Amino acid sequence: MTAIKPSPISIYLLAGVATSNSIFNECKIKLEKLFQSDGIESAIHVVFPYGDASRSVVRQVLEVKSDLSNRMRAGRIGGQIALRKIKQTLTCDRMLLIGHSGGGAAAYQAAKMLHENGEINDFRIVQVGSPRNPIDPLLQDRVSYFHSVNSLGKLNDPISRIGTWGGWSRDRYAMPRWNSLKYAPGYVEGIPTVGGHADYFRHTKPYTDQEAVCNLDKTIDRVRVWLKGWV
């Protein structure tokens, strides 16, 4: 029997606030090799929903804030910009969005709008070191969240503490209680990286551990494991 060729994937790497233009250079190369080794055709695009490091940081932060809410009146500025960029280049029926920091919030908002408009159905979202924005329960299984942890497994990325996944639920006695994970992504995992919030995609010393494994390899490995079965 002839093996079924995997469907191609459009991949988008979304940057956060005050990000250098080179942040995803090595990540893009590794992803291209990864999908190529699995026999999957991929087209990888880099998106700056809030602009690059040359823009006002204050303005960028305010724009990220608009993407942390699911209220209809929220501006979702980064999400709207990402949506326009994606629609210009999306040519596949499958889409993978990987967003760092505020880019993770913009990635979710853009994908949610595309889905609601009936423009994409088969997609996955990866948030890396992102603020916490509430995820629609219908989309939770399509979203993963990775954050940095220290040697004790404790969260040590302050940006990952911003925002909330919480909401009110009722217990078996119909009493309201606060559920801190009600609107959390379907998969959440800590990564023992070296450095801080800006370093998930670093691939050279000093961003390597005692076994010479760099942050980028750790991040990509976790993403690959989560995507297993979809790609």
Side-chain angles (χ1 to χ4, degrees):
M1 295 180 62
T2 303
I4 299 176
K5 185 178 180 180
S7 301
I9 301 177
S10 290
I11 302 173
Y12 294 89
L13 305 176
L14 292 90
V17 169
T19 302
S20 70
N21 290 318
S22 62
I23 182 175
F24 292 125
N25 285 358
E26 189 66 22
C27 178
K28 185 176 179 180
I29 293 171
K30 285 187 177 291
L31 286 173
E32 287 174 342
K33 292 180 178 178
L34 173 64
F35 283 93
Q36 186 177 37
S37 68
D38 289 334
I40 300 173
E41 180 183 344
S42 63
I44 304 179
H45 309 272
V46 178
V47 179
F48 290 80
Y50 311 103
D52 57 22
S54 65
R55 283 194 74 218
S56 164
V57 174
V58 173
R59 179 163 294 184
Q60 290 186 54
V61 169
L62 292 175
E63 291 172 357
V64 170
K65 186 177 180 181
S66 77
D67 285 310
L68 297 184
S69 172
N70 276 340
R71 292 182 293 108
M72 291 303 295
R73 293 183 180 180
R76 302 180 189 176
I77 297 173
Q80 293 284 0
I81 292 174
L83 176 65
R84 291 197 295 271
K85 297 290 186 181
I86 291 170
K87 291 177 71 171
Q88 291 171 3
T89 54
L90 183 62
T91 57
C92 304
D93 294 328
R94 291 202 296 169
M95 178 180 71
L96 170 63
L97 281 69
I98 302 176
H100 172 242
S101 192
Y108 169 73
Q109 298 294 2
K112 185 171 186 288
M113 288 185 281
L114 282 167
H115 181 59
E116 290 174 342
N117 293 337
E119 298 175 80
I120 191 74
N121 183 54
D122 194 4
F123 63 92
R124 294 294 184 272
I125 303 165
V126 178
Q127 298 180 316
V128 180
S130 299
R132 302 182 182 190
N133 66 285
I135 307 299
D136 186 321
L138 296 177
L139 301 180
Q140 285 174 317
D141 288 344
R142 304 176 189 230
V143 185
S144 65
Y145 183 95
F146 299 92
H147 60 85
S148 178
V149 295
N150 61 22
S151 59
L152 299 177
K154 300 294 185 180
L155 188 153
N156 65 352
D157 181 348
I159 301 301
S160 296
R161 299 181 186 276
I162 297 174
T164 182
W165 295 324
W168 289 101
S169 299
R170 293 187 179 277
D171 62 21
R172 60 179 178 171
Y173 303 108
M175 295 294 293
R177 65 180 180 84
W178 182 256
N179 180 355
S180 62
L181 298 176
K182 183 174 182 178
Y183 299 109
Y187 185 83
V188 179
E189 183 181 359
I191 303 176
T193 59
V194 179
H197 172 71
D199 304 319
Y200 290 93
F201 300 95
R202 305 284 189 184
H203 65 285
T204 58
K205 292 183 179 180
Y207 304 102
T208 57
D209 61 19
Q210 294 179 343
E211 298 178 353
V213 180
C214 67
N215 288 351
L216 176 59
D217 284 346
K218 292 179 182 179
T219 301
I220 294 298
D221 179 67
R222 298 303 198 280
V223 172
R224 183 177 190 178
V225 171
W226 180 69
L227 290 174
K228 189 175 181 180
W230 180 66
V231 296

